[in-house]
Amino acid sequence: MKRCLWCKQKAVIYMREHRLALCKDCYPKWFLRMTERTIKEWRMIEPSDKVLVAVSGGKDSLGLWFALTQLGYEADGLYLDLGISPGGYSERSKEFAMQLSERIQRPLHIVKVADEMGKPVPDLAFASNREPCSACGAVKRYLFNKFAVENGYTVIATGHNLDDEAATLLGNVLRWQIGYLARQAPVLPERVLGVGGEQGRLVKRIKPFVRFTEKQVALFTILNRIPYIEQECPFAVGAASLFYKDLLNKIEERSPGTKWAFYSQFVEQIQPLLDEKFPEPELRPCTRCGMPTTAEVCSVCRIKERANKLVAEVKS
Ligand code: Q46
Ligand code: ZN
């Protein structure tokens, strides 16, 4: 049995990639220290920033919200009710988010996708003929940004971990999705429109957990006794990202540290080159809603319009 390197108690985790064993008391301290280091290294949060955490009710986003408040950041939460009903998924996730808000005494904002878009995510996806995750991703990015802009938040923090980011990177590399690769980074700076008023802004996005594996985040959340939704979103079943995560875990097993090397070397050496060579097209205000987009009509307004058209066709 391994002993904690810091205090010699019984270890609860051995991180081969760091050659570090830690106990249940020292591990959360190490985890917070590493989170703070990531925030500072990437200049994720400045003292004047107002931080909004995208809270889903899962281990990553709840762990992140808790960690940020432990580190002294006055971060608020936003829970988007996607209206995913199989297994009571959205309802149960919301309960967990509310429990943590109560415990850390920070406000949790709740926005219902159906109120904002006229329909919940599964109906929007079906009616617009898109994969649920593709419609869901676009709607989430849009509504988080809209809420942040309208309520004066300057940073949106998400709980993406190393497994998520490495799997996305692998997927993008396998298909050489240069546009996506050019914009895959732990920090996406704020982008402002020359014209278009207050809404013409993409709020800065940060991923303070990119250094941690999924297991490391889960352990932090569990050791801090934060209940979270363990059930996967019903639409995640069979997703390619789960398969890529599995592959990367097998590689990591054979060669510890590969996952981090794959991701961090990309971010340090390749992403800046791509970003320079393939700059994002100019942003302009969506002609329907005024939010920033690279097209004439933003993808969310197009989803909404297609969904409404279908309803009109069914009724006639
Ligand atoms: S919530 Fe939405 Fe995820 Fe469910 S529908 Fe897909 S994108 S899997 S993070
Ligand atoms: Zn729009």
Side-chain angles (χ1 to χ4, degrees):
M1 180 191 49
K2 292 218 180 287
R3 294 266 151 202
C4 174
L5 193 78
W6 290 3
C7 76
K8 309 297 172 220
Q9 271 196 85
K10 187 178 139 202
V12 291
I13 187 168
Y14 175 62
M15 294 173 279
R16 284 208 294 167
E17 68 279 24
H18 301 295
R19 298 210 181 120
L20 180 63
L22 291 170
C23 69
K24 66 177 186 352
D25 299 319
C26 295
Y27 177 73
K29 291 180 198 150
W30 172 85
F31 189 96
L32 286 177
R33 212 182 275 178
M34 289 288 278
T35 307
E36 182 71 333
R37 202 200 284 179
T38 307
I39 292 172
K40 292 273 174 317
E41 205 174 296
W42 289 95
R43 297 173 152 213
M44 291 183 166
I45 304 174
E46 305 294 340
S48 58
D49 275 325
K50 207 176 153 199
V51 183
L52 183 68
V53 182
V55 182
S56 70
K59 62 181 182 327
D60 303 295
S61 60
L62 293 180
L64 174 63
W65 196 13
F66 185 76
L68 290 177
T69 54
Q70 290 277 297
L71 289 168
Y73 297 104
E74 294 185 342
D76 299 343
L78 171 59
Y79 175 81
L80 275 189
D81 185 337
L82 306 171
I84 296 177
S85 46
Y89 180 76
S90 286
E91 267 314 298
R92 294 186 53 231
S93 327
K94 185 166 71 186
E95 292 293 318
F96 290 117
M98 285 162 66
Q99 273 179 34
L100 183 65
S101 156
E102 181 96 13
R103 171 166 163 196
I104 59 178
Q105 292 289 294
R106 295 297 315 167
L108 174 71
H109 306 284
I110 298 175
V111 170
K112 256 184 133 161
V113 170
D115 291 346
E116 293 285 322
M117 310 287 299
K119 288 180 183 45
V121 162
D123 294 8
L124 283 171
F126 176 74
S128 62
N129 203 14
R130 285 176 74 145
E131 288 295 323
C133 290
S134 145
C136 182
V139 167
K140 283 197 287 195
R141 275 190 300 278
Y142 178 93
L143 289 180
F144 275 119
N145 191 68
K146 183 166 179 274
F147 187 90
V149 169
E150 288 172 356
N151 293 279
Y153 290 97
T154 53
V155 171
I156 298 171
T158 60
H160 293 96
N161 58 46
L162 177 57
D163 293 45
D164 298 324
E165 293 303 292
T168 305
L169 177 58
L170 181 59
N172 288 338
V173 165
L174 288 175
R175 287 184 189 79
W176 292 116
Q177 308 253 41
I178 300 294
Y180 290 145
L181 285 168
R183 268 158 286 289
Q184 198 187 341
V187 175
L188 291 176
E190 180 192 47
R191 295 193 65 203
V192 191
L193 275 178
V195 287
E198 239 314 89
Q199 290 207 330
R201 208 151 61 80
L202 286 183
V203 172
K204 179 177 175 181
R205 288 178 169 260
I206 62 169
K207 298 171 183 168
F209 277 181
V210 283
R211 271 174 192 272
F212 303 121
T213 63
E214 203 164 300
K215 280 190 186 147
Q216 288 165 358
V217 177
L219 184 61
F220 175 77
T221 308
I222 291 165
L223 289 177
N224 281 295
R225 298 179 201 290
I226 301 167
Y228 60 85
I229 185 142
E230 288 176 45
Q231 178 193 348
E232 283 273 11
C233 169
F235 295 112
V237 179
S241 58
L242 295 182
F243 174 61
Y244 295 149
K245 281 183 184 177
D246 212 41
L247 281 177
L248 287 161
N249 280 336
K250 290 198 173 105
I251 297 172
E252 183 75 15
E253 189 61 34
R254 285 279 293 270
S255 170
T258 305
K259 225 186 270 179
W260 174 243
F262 176 53
Y263 177 68
S264 62
Q265 292 306 307
F266 165 77
V267 166
E268 276 166 32
Q269 301 194 43
I270 313 295
Q271 193 272 340
L273 299 178
L274 292 176
D275 195 28
E276 204 183 301
K277 190 146 175 55
F278 302 96
E280 205 168 358
E282 279 275 290
L283 287 179
R284 48 176 163 158
C286 166
T287 50
R288 303 286 193 278
C289 70
M291 295 290 278
T293 176
T294 50
E296 194 186 326
V297 178
C298 77
S299 63
V300 169
C301 283
R302 272 181 282 150
I303 291 176
K304 222 157 64 172
E305 280 171 13
R306 257 182 260 153
N308 289 338
K309 204 170 142 206
L310 186 89
V311 173
E313 280 169 10
V314 169
K315 278 187 183 160
S316 65

